[in-house]
Amino acid sequence: MQILLSIAPVFALICLGYAMRRGGIPSAEFWNLNDRLVYFLLMPALFFVRISSADLSNQTLLPLAITLIAGFFVAIGFGVLSARMLRCPPAVATTVFQGAGRFNTFIGLAIAEALYALPALQIAVIAAALLVPVVNLTVVPLFALYLPRPGARAVVIAAKGLATNPLILSILAGIAANRLGWGDVPVVHDTLNILGAAALPIMLLCVGANLKLRGLSGEVKPIIAASFGKLILFPMVVMGLALALGLPPLQAQVALIIAALPTGAAAFTLSRQLGGDAQLMATVITAQTVLSFVTMPLWIALGERLFL
């Protein structure tokens, strides 16, 4: 019950964002601009501040990286195999493997902080920093294999997008500042801290605003396959590896939270950009977000029994 009460505000903000968008408050353009605000400014500020001040010399970061990256590759591999077994068309197959492996960083950061305060938020940022580049560098080449028709130009455009991705750039900048030992730079870090604090509530409202329950329809089998890979298999693998590798309790629990997240909106953007089934991708994102209202508390409760 305590877990539900702790993470309820996170899902309440998502629902509020959905209700506001559907009620036309204040406008569709407002939400599109807020998405860009979060993506280009607020989240990079949060990533930079947390990574630049984190203890990256900790030897347990390697087991954490192995746990998360291995879980991701198992989940996305399951998505690829499932699409083949279901004989999905190439565009639908890209939806299945994206839906099985990608995750919504925003929800994960908010839940980690809501449950275990600032130390967990910092671990969650580091975990996302470990996974975000791997996810993007894996998914784009897979698109090129499945959808050669858009040609090399589309992949080049996507690759350029990765190279200028503000989250990835903020991760690299944070690592550089950390290694150079800059510490907290007066004014700069204070300003970025304020921006980062604004990121979590605004991004949760945007997550809800982007849900499309009215269009919740599509091919059932691909949706089930993607949702099983993401909401069941991914966290199951991460939980097993966290136990096997002996991750510190809080790291293991945060890794489980990251693994149990639903697919993020970036999957829809990439699907639309590279010729995937964007409508089905939107359905998968919405379905998984709704399902995660149930599955995430269960995984978190199990993790507390095993890790904390």
Side-chain angles (χ1 to χ4, degrees):
M1 180 59 71
Q2 185 58 44
I3 292 171
L4 288 173
L5 292 176
S6 297
I7 67 175
V10 173
F11 291 117
L13 282 176
I14 294 174
C15 293
L16 178 60
Y18 175 82
M20 291 176 70
R21 174 69 180 263
R22 296 306 168 268
I25 303 173
S27 68
E29 184 179 0
F30 168 85
W31 293 108
N32 293 335
L33 291 174
N34 259 318
D35 279 339
R36 294 176 64 82
L37 176 67
V38 169
Y39 183 69
F40 284 102
L41 181 61
L42 301 185
M43 285 305 297
L46 178 63
F47 271 56
F48 178 81
V49 167
R50 296 303 167 212
I51 293 173
S52 63
S53 61
D55 181 9
L56 300 182
S57 63
N58 194 326
Q59 294 181 352
T60 58
L61 287 182
L62 180 59
L64 176 64
I66 292 172
T67 298
L68 289 169
I69 293 171
F72 164 72
F73 277 117
V74 169
I76 205 166
F78 171 81
V80 170
L81 290 175
S82 296
R84 179 170 296 182
M85 291 179 64
L86 294 173
R87 298 181 180 178
C88 296
V92 174
T94 63
T95 294
V96 177
F97 69 68
Q98 275 210 106
R102 301 195 71 146
F103 60 98
N104 194 317
T105 308
F106 304 153
I107 297 176
L109 299 182
I111 288 179
E113 184 182 39
L115 284 172
Y116 310 114
L118 188 59
L121 175 61
Q122 189 168 49
I123 295 172
V125 169
I126 293 171
L130 293 169
L131 265 183
V132 166
V134 174
V135 170
N136 285 282
L137 292 173
T138 301
V139 169
V140 171
L142 279 175
F143 263 90
L145 289 174
Y146 275 86
L147 299 171
R149 287 186 178 181
R153 187 171 180 274
V155 177
V156 169
I157 292 173
K160 287 182 178 179
L162 294 181
T164 57
N165 184 305
L167 294 183
I168 294 177
L169 292 177
S170 66
I171 289 168
L172 295 176
I175 292 172
N178 188 292
R179 290 305 184 189
L180 290 171
W182 288 356
D184 288 351
V185 180
V187 181
V188 174
H189 271 72
D190 293 337
T191 302
L192 294 177
N193 261 317
I194 294 171
L195 289 172
L200 297 180
I202 293 177
M203 71 188 180
L204 290 174
L205 290 171
C206 290
V207 168
N210 286 319
L211 296 181
K212 296 178 174 60
L213 295 182
R214 290 181 182 176
L216 195 57
S217 61
E219 299 180 58
V220 174
K221 290 181 180 179
I223 296 172
I224 292 174
S227 299
F228 179 84
K230 185 66 207 68
L231 301 179
I232 305 298
L233 183 61
F234 198 156
M236 187 183 300
V237 172
V238 164
M239 177 177 284
L241 287 174
L243 289 170
L245 296 176
L247 261 64
L250 189 57
Q251 275 196 14
Q253 185 69 348
V254 172
L256 181 60
I257 290 172
I258 297 296
L261 292 169
T263 301
F268 172 79
T269 302
L270 191 64
S271 183
R272 184 172 55 184
Q273 184 179 27
L274 294 185
D277 191 332
Q279 183 57 48
L280 182 60
M281 190 73 253
T283 301
V284 169
I285 292 168
T286 300
Q288 287 192 16
T289 302
V290 173
L291 287 171
S292 70
F293 286 24
V294 176
T295 59
M296 286 205 70
L298 296 176
W299 282 115
I300 292 169
L302 182 56
E304 287 198 344
R305 285 180 174 270
L306 293 175
F307 302 133
L308 302 179

